[in-house]
Amino acid sequence: MDLSIRVIQDGDEYQVIIECDGSTRIERAQSIDSLINIVSNDIKELLTMKENTEALKPSDCVLKGWYIRLPITKILDILAYVVKEDGENPTERLLSYLDVHGLSRSNYRVIVPTLSALGLWRQGELTREAEELGKAIINNNQDIPNQLFNIAIKNCILRDALEGLANGAPINEITKSMGLTRRDEINYTTNLLEMLMSSDGFKCLRLAKSISNYLKSGGCLAEVEPVNACIMDNVVTIFNYLINNKGFHMVGLLSDIDVNVNLSLITTQVNGDHAIIMQSNKPVGVLVGDIVVTNNNYAPKARETVDRLEPMTAKIMRSNNLSFSMVVVPIIIKG
């Protein structure tokens, strides 16, 4: 359990900031006794929530709470400002943002928990991911949705939401399953999820889910958009399916090579645009592939893809002294 408690004295008043596994609470107290009582009650409640969550759903997620009170565009704007401004204290830079934009400093109490839930703020500091994302925003980097996706999936609730969306669930059902009740919270979460769905990371997740579901139950493949970054991972998934479920046919395909292949000992190691096929941890072959999306007249596109990949397999075989190569080209036919 990652727990941080900071107390700030502001005149006759005390402000306490409690951060626990991505959930942030900001409380105020008029006296030391009141402060101790508030901290004690909050910690008890957080511990109870943690125990209940872990009992219901064990998880290795880093962040297990969700809180949002700002639109994602405002979050990114704040992040860019805090990263760009000079000064050692991120809190002061955040307060400066509020001052410059004519906003009450009390907004700090909703900004910090929102940033914390996204893994962008921890113990009074911007996280490394927040710094990198802020620089990307300042530089108008087109990779922002991808960076944000990689940050968001560290939050258990967002990760589950994205997995549900990747499986085809409507976004309104997802926000309902998250237990959101406030209208602003629902709208801000919806906008965030829509941005995340535009990322390559989400497209890869949706492609992987679609292929996995198809291999398990058949039927029609959900509409997907192959992304270069994860083509090879999905080719390996299909290769493993063939090894485990179509072994008889695979043995036939491999019957004329120089090495005696034992399918039960076969593993793969992805290496960029190809994967090395291992047998008992010894490299024996190379696997390459691509995913083709086409219409019913798929043969020309498939042949073109294989012709493009074959020279690469020959080169990898020679340079690694491998015995064979396999080209896997899944074809998705648009209805």
Side-chain angles (χ1 to χ4, degrees):
M1 180 176 182
D2 186 8
L3 177 66
S4 169
I5 302 173
R6 292 189 301 123
V7 178
I8 302 172
Q9 187 171 3
D10 184 10
D12 296 332
E13 190 176 58
Y14 297 93
Q15 178 175 275
V16 59
I17 303 172
I18 304 173
E19 296 177 283
C20 176
D21 289 339
S23 176
T24 300
R25 297 185 178 197
I26 301 178
E27 307 280 10
R28 291 185 178 275
Q30 302 297 324
S31 66
I32 292 292
D33 289 341
S34 176
L35 175 66
I36 293 172
N37 187 51
I38 288 172
V39 171
S40 176
N41 289 336
D42 276 6
I43 290 177
K44 286 179 182 177
E45 186 175 335
L46 287 166
L47 286 171
T48 300
M49 289 171 58
K50 177 179 174 64
E51 289 172 358
N52 291 341
T53 300
E54 290 181 344
L56 290 172
K57 187 175 182 181
S59 173
D60 58 357
C61 293
V62 178
L63 305 172
K64 300 179 182 178
W66 180 236
Y67 179 102
I68 188 167
R69 294 293 185 271
L70 301 165
I72 184 58
T73 51
K74 181 64 68 176
I75 293 171
L76 297 179
D77 188 48
I78 292 171
L79 200 57
Y81 182 93
V82 175
V83 169
K84 188 175 182 179
E85 282 298 292
D86 293 329
E88 294 183 2
N89 190 329
T91 298
E92 290 302 321
R93 282 179 269 158
L94 179 53
L95 293 174
S96 171
Y97 174 90
L98 296 173
D99 294 341
V100 167
H101 290 80
L103 302 171
S104 170
R105 286 194 167 198
S106 64
N107 285 297
Y108 176 86
R109 300 176 66 180
V110 296
I111 294 173
V112 168
T114 298
L115 294 177
S116 297
L118 275 168
L120 301 172
W121 187 277
R122 186 181 302 117
Q123 298 180 10
E125 300 282 347
L126 291 175
T127 61
R128 177 180 56 81
E129 292 86 354
E131 294 278 1
E132 292 174 355
L133 182 58
K135 291 174 183 176
I137 299 165
I138 294 167
N139 295 326
N140 198 26
N141 194 320
Q142 299 303 307
D143 197 44
I144 290 171
N146 293 331
Q147 286 185 249
L148 196 56
F149 177 87
N150 291 331
I151 292 168
I153 58 175
K154 295 179 182 178
N155 181 293
C156 293
I157 296 173
L158 287 181
R159 185 198 62 182
D160 290 347
L162 290 165
E163 288 187 347
L165 291 168
N167 276 321
I171 200 165
N172 62 317
E173 288 186 10
I174 293 298
T175 53
K176 185 177 180 180
S177 71
M178 293 171 72
L180 307 180
T181 55
R182 291 172 52 120
R183 175 53 52 188
D184 61 340
E185 192 177 33
I186 293 170
N187 289 339
Y188 297 154
T189 301
T190 297
N191 292 339
L192 170 62
L193 291 173
E194 287 173 345
M195 176 178 283
L196 296 174
M197 290 170 70
S198 71
S199 69
D200 286 349
F202 178 79
K203 293 173 185 176
C204 285
L205 177 63
R206 183 168 57 186
L207 177 61
K209 291 281 186 183
S210 297
I211 290 176
S212 177
N213 292 337
Y214 174 77
L215 294 177
K216 287 178 182 177
S217 57
C220 294
L221 194 70
E223 184 176 347
V224 292
E225 180 182 347
V227 179
N228 288 336
C230 55
I231 291 292
M232 203 59 225
D233 289 332
N234 287 286
V235 167
V236 168
T237 295
I238 293 170
F239 174 76
N240 289 336
Y241 170 82
L242 295 174
I243 290 289
N244 295 320
N245 296 276
K246 305 292 181 181
F248 178 80
H249 300 287
M250 294 295 287
V251 169
L253 289 173
L254 298 170
S255 61
D256 59 348
I257 63 174
D258 294 334
V259 62
N260 184 23
V261 176
N262 185 336
L263 296 184
S264 64
L265 301 177
I266 290 292
T267 59
T268 55
Q269 290 183 355
V270 176
N271 184 14
D273 58 1
H274 66 278
I276 298 298
I277 300 172
M278 313 283 287
Q279 179 166 276
S280 299
N281 295 321
K282 178 184 177 182
V284 292
V286 59
L287 171 68
V288 300
D290 199 356
I291 297 177
V292 172
V293 180
T294 184
N295 53 30
N296 286 325
N297 185 24
Y298 59 83
K301 190 77 174 285
R303 185 68 258 172
E304 175 188 327
T305 304
V306 172
D307 289 344
R308 172 171 54 83
L309 294 172
E310 282 183 334
M312 181 174 73
T313 66
K315 182 178 179 180
I316 296 171
M317 282 181 63
R318 287 195 302 269
S319 61
N320 292 276
N321 194 28
L322 302 174
S323 300
F324 67 95
S325 66
M326 295 199 71
V327 179
V328 175
V329 182
I331 300 172
I332 300 174
I333 300 175
K334 290 184 177 181

